[in-house]
Amino acid sequence: MGEDGRLTAVVALAQGMAAAHTPRESWRAAALGACRALGGSFAALSVWERELGRLRVLVNVGNRAQGEEEFPGDETYPVHQFPEITEFLHERWVAGGEPNAWVETAEGPAAGQPGYCHQRVAALRRRGRGCCVVAPIVLNGRAWGELYVARSAGVPVFDRGDADFATVLASVVAAGLAQSERLEEARRLAFTDALTGLANRRAVDVRLEEAIERHRDQGVVVSLVVCDLNGLKHVNDTRGHAVGDRLLERFGSVLSLCGAMLPGALAARLGGDEFCLLVVGSPADDVVKAADELCRRAAELELGEGVACGVASTEDPIGPVRSARRLFRLADAAQYQAKAVRADRPVVAGREGEDDPVVRLADAEPSGEDAVERRRFRGRLP
């Protein structure tokens, strides 16, 4: 490949990673771009997990051998099997050397080798590959992992020029990974409550819309638990907001713990003293059981005065739920009912017969901006 071709390949790799919307898409774009740029038949991207002393494969692309998954669940290799990971990526680089790529062949080391690596050679032979080029990836000043590209047996092996080009590609991949990590962190912060670490209202809105769509299309059960933490204002007024924040954090931990009883539940802080659990797929009775446990644990907190908890589930007799707003209104009405009667257990929409007061209250409210309608329930309960 000439200089123009290599430049085009670099641009294509960078553009592919930039267009990725998830880390997985970014990893796949990196491996595919490098594989094409180097004329390989297979490529993999792996991360060095220092704390576990292992190299973990993130993605495999191209002609995968038996047992090689595109996104492996747990394909890992102990670092001691690949001494160049610590010796070449760390010792040589720290000593002033550059983290350049090297080539291994099915017959042994080749251009730019850091030393004979029996495991890599054995793997090449076992999988019918003739050679590979290994390029260290350095991210934020630290060895992050490696880019691995292989060619099938019987075709020309990689040479020194290929190894040098792989070093360039690894730098482009590192830049793409850094951008991907920044975007992922921005997304995480956008959907996370800063104080408790739970999901925030935006995350609930997105997930609830998706869940209701699944309910409409597939009949999947969707349940919502809405809670109001009692006594927060008193704690703030008498002991200060720092103590109030500790109460919010502590209750957030309790909510997360109870949410763990329900597979895939999303625990969130809606704002102020209001929290919720969004549950998709679990039976309504299991959700009520978890909400009951939440009430019990909240009552045992050293601070605060327990929690008012309301539950609404599409599995209960609450009428058709065609929108996220209606389920939210039902759970909200149940929560305010619990608060009005000072219930120490959750109030569940639809479980008091045909003339259920919670359903009647929720459906009587006019439509409007959600943030406004949630407040309209205050003072309206008997």
Side-chain angles (χ1 to χ4, degrees):
M1 182 184 295
E3 288 300 318
D4 290 344
R6 288 190 167 181
L7 178 59
T8 300
V10 168
V11 172
L13 190 159
Q15 289 177 337
M17 294 190 72
H21 296 291
T22 66
R24 276 192 168 195
E25 289 180 7
S26 180
W27 303 336
R28 188 172 186 276
L32 276 175
C35 190
R36 291 165 181 162
L38 286 162
S41 61
F42 170 85
L45 183 69
S46 304
V47 62
W48 178 17
E49 296 182 328
R50 285 176 173 79
E51 71 280 10
L52 299 176
R54 67 185 189 180
L55 194 68
R56 179 167 65 91
V57 179
L58 299 174
V59 63
N60 293 309
V61 301
N63 299 328
R64 302 196 301 273
Q66 185 175 4
E68 288 179 329
E69 300 176 7
E70 182 175 24
F71 295 105
D74 191 28
E75 184 182 351
T76 61
Y77 302 94
V79 168
H80 68 78
Q81 291 184 2
F82 300 93
E84 74 276 10
I85 295 298
T86 52
E87 294 173 6
F88 188 68
L89 299 193
H90 181 65
E91 292 177 6
R92 294 191 183 195
W93 186 39
V94 170
E98 290 296 324
N100 294 325
W102 67 91
V103 175
E104 298 278 355
T105 75
E107 305 303 321
Q113 74 276 14
Y116 177 71
C117 183
H118 173 71
Q119 284 77 13
R120 291 194 192 276
V121 172
L124 287 171
R125 293 172 180 169
R126 185 170 63 251
R127 292 164 178 162
R129 294 166 186 151
C131 64
C132 67
V133 59
V134 184
I137 296 174
V138 177
L139 189 62
N140 299 323
R142 300 186 69 187
W144 181 89
E146 69 172 37
L147 177 66
Y148 174 100
V149 180
R151 285 178 178 169
S152 301
V155 302
V157 301
F158 292 114
D159 57 23
R160 177 70 262 172
D162 293 318
D164 290 341
F165 185 40
T167 300
V168 173
L169 294 173
S171 297
V172 176
V173 169
L177 290 171
Q179 176 67 11
S180 177
E181 289 188 358
R182 285 193 292 270
L183 291 174
E184 192 64 20
E185 178 66 7
R187 292 190 188 102
R188 187 190 68 79
L189 292 174
F191 291 97
T192 303
D193 176 64
L195 178 63
T196 63
L198 301 177
N200 61 14
R201 176 59 188 267
R202 181 182 299 175
V204 173
D205 287 343
V206 171
R207 289 277 293 274
L208 184 56
E209 288 288 351
E210 294 172 349
I212 294 300
E213 184 174 349
R214 288 184 61 194
H215 169 69
R216 290 194 303 262
D217 295 345
Q218 307 167 27
V220 174
V221 176
V222 181
S223 304
L224 196 62
V225 181
V226 174
C227 333
D228 191 288
L229 187 57
N230 297 325
L232 178 63
K233 184 177 185 304
H234 178 71
V235 171
N236 284 335
D237 291 345
T238 59
R239 304 186 62 175
H241 286 271
V243 177
D245 285 351
R246 287 204 298 273
L247 172 59
L248 290 169
E249 291 179 277
R250 184 72 186 92
F251 179 73
S253 297
V254 171
L255 181 69
S256 179
L257 178 66
C258 293
M261 298 168 60
L262 305 162
L266 179 71
R269 181 187 177 203
L270 301 175
D273 56 5
E274 295 177 315
F275 293 77
C276 83
L277 279 176
L278 171 58
V279 189
V280 181
S282 295
D285 285 345
D286 289 355
V287 177
V288 174
K289 182 178 179 181
D292 198 42
E293 178 69 7
L294 177 65
C295 290
R296 185 187 70 78
R297 288 177 176 270
E300 295 176 352
L301 291 176
E302 180 181 355
L303 299 170
E305 302 167 12
V307 65
C309 186
V311 182
S313 175
T314 59
E315 194 175 51
D316 283 324
I318 56 177
V321 178
R322 298 188 177 90
S323 69
R325 176 172 293 175
R326 183 165 190 269
L327 190 65
F328 218 126
R329 288 166 58 77
L330 285 159
D332 218 14
Q335 181 259 305
Y336 283 119
Q337 177 83 324
K339 198 172 191 71
V341 300
R342 297 184 179 277
D344 60 359
R345 301 187 64 182
V347 170
V348 185
R351 295 199 174 185
E352 292 192 27
E354 293 184 2
D355 195 31
D356 185 283
V358 172
V359 177
R360 188 174 69 249
L361 174 62
D363 289 345
E365 286 296 317
S367 299
E369 289 297 324
D370 191 63
V372 175
E373 23 176 85
R374 299 191 73 246
R375 295 304 175 193
R376 288 177 181 159
F377 289 114
R378 291 195 187 276
R380 292 288 304 278
L381 295 167

